[in-house]
Amino acid sequence: MQFPDTEYFSLELASPQGDGAIEPKHQACLIPQAANATPFALDAPQSIVGRGHDVDYCINDVRASRRHAKVLALHNRYYVQDLGSTNGTYLNGDRIENERLAHGDLITFGRTQFRFEIGTDLDANYLKKLTLDTVTSLAEAVDKKDPYTGSHSQSVAKISERLALALGLDQAAAERVRIAARLHDIGKIGVPDAVLRKPGPLTAAEFALIRKHPVDGASILAPLGFLADLLPAIRHHHERFDGGGYPDGLVGAAIPLASRIIQVADTYHAMASNRPYRRAQPPEFIRTELTRHAGTQFDPEVIAALLDMLSSLHAPD
């Protein structure tokens, strides 16, 4: 495996020729900083590191937990997720829970330190290893970045599927809406925890980071052919019915129906959930607010479908 000598090596999804093709998947590994230790190739979509016997890479370190951390690989994007270890996972000296990795980063599990490196050799078999379960692991990592949202994406997915069926979609189409909703916030995987968890108003720069997540989410999933039909739903779930949304300012029926469904389910769950700065809103407040914004922010037909089922929706997880 060959690695560049530069301190930082950035691999974007776009082809360097700018022709719309996807940058091929490159091999990557964790290189132990201890002498004579064996590098660990990150050639699976997800890998568990720890000192137990049921892990993908076992480290002989009493300060490491048995299942210490998970490394997620989605094309040329890699993330490390602490699994509730006793002594923590550290990235370049800072304790982290979920963070994206960059070439040259130093990761510490217990007392054992690794250098993360992305090589120039291609991983030709990578796409064959990806499954929906693997991608969903990334969505779960996003939910875990904010303890107040918990299983937000899972709840939005359930509500979105019910809305799709209520609007006349068949079971197969409703299932695709559910999957899109499950993955709708996957672009937030790259947003710093401090921004996602901030209890007060966001700065303009912080809000700009948040606004990127629909495009980033579609970009993350773009290499996966089995999700190609879901990319528009994910990219456009923050459009507004009146054209005032983002990223493309689409209006009305030009917004994919799945996006319009996800937006309503997402907004409902946000209002019905506890937040750091407020308690969950009561049903009548939610009904009033959704009705008030039907036709401007939201598709009126989707709002009508949600209001019809409002009394039957379970309390958010």
Side-chain angles (χ1 to χ4, degrees):
M1 188 182 299
Q2 298 177 355
F3 296 95
D5 295 328
T6 53
E7 279 299 306
Y8 180 72
F9 182 57
S10 175
L11 292 170
E12 298 298 334
L13 289 177
S15 163
Q17 288 77 30
D19 56 7
I22 298 299
E23 174 74 19
K25 169 71 169 61
H26 290 246
Q27 294 180 6
C29 70
L30 295 177
I31 300 178
Q33 299 303 282
N36 301 319
T38 304
F40 175 46
L42 298 171
D43 55 3
Q46 54 184 337
S47 305
I48 305 295
V49 178
R51 63 180 177 88
H53 298 295
D54 59 341
V55 297
D56 300 296
Y57 188 84
C58 183
I59 52 179
N60 185 19
D61 182 344
V62 295
R63 288 185 59 83
S65 296
R66 293 188 179 279
R67 292 172 64 85
H68 194 103
K70 177 189 293 185
V71 179
L72 297 164
L74 190 56
H75 209 67
N76 290 315
R77 299 169 185 245
Y78 292 81
Y79 304 86
V80 60
Q81 175 186 344
D82 187 79
L83 296 177
S85 65
T86 301
N87 294 308
T89 298
Y90 289 80
L91 181 63
N92 300 322
D94 296 324
R95 186 164 183 166
I96 56 93
E97 295 180 10
N98 297 280
E99 290 294 338
R100 184 176 175 182
L101 297 173
H103 176 78
D105 277 345
L106 293 176
I107 311 150
T108 305
F109 311 114
R111 289 196 181 99
T112 306
Q113 188 173 76
F114 297 83
R115 176 181 169 89
F116 171 71
E117 295 194 359
I118 300 180
T120 55
D121 292 342
L122 300 183
D123 185 352
N125 295 318
Y126 170 75
L127 289 178
K128 299 176 184 177
K129 306 170 189 174
L130 279 175
T131 65
L132 182 59
D133 287 343
T134 304
V135 179
T136 302
S137 293
L138 272 181
E140 292 172 353
V142 171
D143 283 348
K144 290 177 181 178
K145 284 165 74 73
D146 185 349
Y148 285 93
T149 58
S151 56
H152 171 72
S153 296
Q154 187 173 0
S155 297
V156 172
K158 292 176 182 177
I159 298 167
S160 295
E161 183 177 28
R162 286 189 61 184
L163 283 170
L165 292 170
L167 290 165
L169 276 67
D170 62 29
Q171 187 61 57
E175 170 67 6
R176 298 305 283 174
V177 173
R178 184 191 68 79
I179 295 171
R182 187 71 178 88
L183 303 175
H184 77 283
D185 272 345
I186 201 167
K188 289 182 179 178
I189 193 76
V191 178
D193 289 3
V195 175
L196 289 178
R197 298 178 178 181
K198 188 174 182 180
L202 298 176
T203 66
E206 290 168 341
F207 188 56
L209 282 175
I210 294 289
R211 283 173 62 100
K212 287 177 59 182
H213 83 268
V215 174
D216 285 350
S219 179
I220 287 170
L221 300 175
L224 310 181
F226 64 92
L227 296 177
D229 61 312
L230 307 185
L231 300 185
I234 292 166
R235 178 183 177 92
H236 297 297
H237 75 273
H238 275 289
E239 304 286 1
R240 287 174 53 107
F241 201 69
D242 62 6
Y246 60 89
D248 298 316
L250 301 184
V251 180
I255 304 168
L257 176 58
S259 299
R260 287 176 267 152
I261 290 171
I262 293 167
Q263 185 193 42
V264 170
D266 190 16
T267 302
Y268 162 76
H269 191 259
M271 286 195 291
S273 304
N274 291 323
R275 287 291 194 262
Y277 48 88
R278 63 156 174 80
R279 298 291 298 170
Q281 301 290 358
E284 282 311 308
F285 176 88
I286 294 173
R287 181 181 294 276
T288 299
E289 285 299 297
L290 291 178
T291 301
R292 185 160 68 92
H293 292 284
T296 53
Q297 185 172 353
F298 307 116
D299 181 335
E301 292 186 15
V302 181
I303 290 294
L306 185 124
L307 294 180
D308 284 345
M309 67 178 65
L310 189 60
S311 61
S312 68
L313 290 174
H314 295 295
D317 300 328

